[in-house]
Amino acid sequence: MRSGVIAQKVGMTRVYNDAGEHIPVTVLRLESCQVVAHRTEDKNGYTAVQLGAGRSKVKNTTKALRGHFAAASVEPKAKLVEFRVSADNMIEIGAELTASHFVAGQLVDVTGTTIGKGFAGAIKRHNFGGLRATHGVSVSHRSHGSTGSNQDPGRVWKGKRMAGHMGQTRVTTQNLEVVSTDEDRGLILVKGAVPGSKGAWIVVRDAIKSGTPDGAPRPAGLRAAASK
């Protein structure tokens, strides 16, 4: 099992394939995605790498995190995420991952926080049809109708689809295809939509249902030391 990466959502655009067909893609950008710490079986009970991405001002970083980044000899990061990895896929602390970590055509799982919509009604939130336009219904055409049942159980069941807070939840979209990558600019183009707003932090992993392709670099696609 390889590590994933932390990317930032730039937005959506389109690219064209050899047949002239346009493909809608989401552009993800890698910015200073480095290994900050290790989690080992002996010390922590599991094997993982902690990655950091982006840049954070020192004055906005807590004293504890300053020491954490100083121990790894990396600049303060804006986002930290742990990735479970197998023992043979551990990456050295301080190593920087690039867009070449993924190869064109492979499938990935993308995790992000959806755009918050605030308080929404049942029609917008759950695609309800609403009440009738006439025949006894006045004012409450967009209401969700009855929510309860009889004397038994005499309450509203948990999970009942009603009006409430919509969006701003952690969502994983599975099996999205990597259309292409640009290592020099740190860009990953993923086919289709990705949860989250522009500028949001996105976690990209090898698709759990299809596995890692044979052509993917192991343990990771790393930036060469000479190009730093």
Side-chain angles (χ1 to χ4, degrees):
M1 187 186 341
R2 297 194 311 161
S3 169
V5 300
I6 309 170
Q8 197 168 20
K9 182 175 177 179
V10 178
M12 290 196 71
T13 183
R14 68 175 69 186
V15 295
Y16 293 88
N17 60 14
D18 296 335
E21 301 168 336
H22 88 85
I23 303 172
V25 295
T26 302
V27 182
L28 305 177
R29 181 179 66 238
L30 270 67
E31 180 185 359
S32 185
C33 185
Q34 292 179 278
V35 179
V36 176
H38 287 164
R39 301 290 183 261
T40 60
E41 191 70 37
D42 297 335
K43 185 175 181 180
N44 307 102
Y46 64 101
T47 306
V49 293
Q50 185 187 63
L51 299 187
R55 291 180 175 85
S56 177
K57 293 182 179 179
V58 176
K59 68 174 184 177
N60 296 333
T61 306
T62 62
K63 191 173 182 180
L65 279 178
R66 290 181 200 173
H68 184 61
F69 293 127
S73 299
V74 298
E75 295 180 353
K77 303 295 182 182
K79 181 72 173 178
L80 289 173
V81 178
E82 275 191 16
F83 295 92
R84 293 287 187 103
V85 297
S86 54
D88 58 336
N89 283 316
M90 291 291 283
I91 313 169
E92 293 183 2
I93 293 178
E96 182 177 352
L97 280 72
T98 65
S100 63
H101 185 71
F102 301 106
V103 295
Q106 85 164 94
L107 300 180
V108 293
D109 294 341
V110 182
T111 302
T113 302
T114 59
I115 298 174
K117 304 292 185 181
F119 190 95
I123 291 179
K124 181 175 180 179
R125 191 183 186 202
H126 298 295
N127 200 28
F128 279 16
L131 274 60
R132 300 180 67 173
T134 56
H135 293 280
V137 178
S138 70
V139 181
S140 51
H141 302 284
R142 293 178 62 89
S143 68
H144 47 60
S146 174
T147 60
S149 50
N150 294 327
Q151 184 174 356
D152 182 22
R155 60 185 174 86
V156 178
W157 292 102
K158 285 186 176 181
K160 184 71 175 178
R161 293 186 298 170
M162 300 170 64
H165 189 110
M166 181 179 178
Q168 204 170 355
T169 56
R170 185 177 170 88
V171 172
T172 297
T173 305
Q174 295 184 325
N175 297 328
L176 294 180
E177 180 184 349
V178 176
V179 176
S180 63
T181 60
D182 188 336
E183 183 176 357
D184 295 334
R185 293 191 293 172
L187 301 180
I188 303 173
L189 272 60
V190 178
K191 184 177 180 180
V194 166
S197 57
K198 293 180 181 179
W201 292 108
I202 306 295
V203 175
V204 188
R205 299 182 177 89
D206 295 331
I208 192 171
K209 291 181 179 178
S210 61
T212 307
D214 296 334
R218 292 178 181 272
L222 303 175
R223 188 177 300 281
S227 62
K228 285 186 179 181

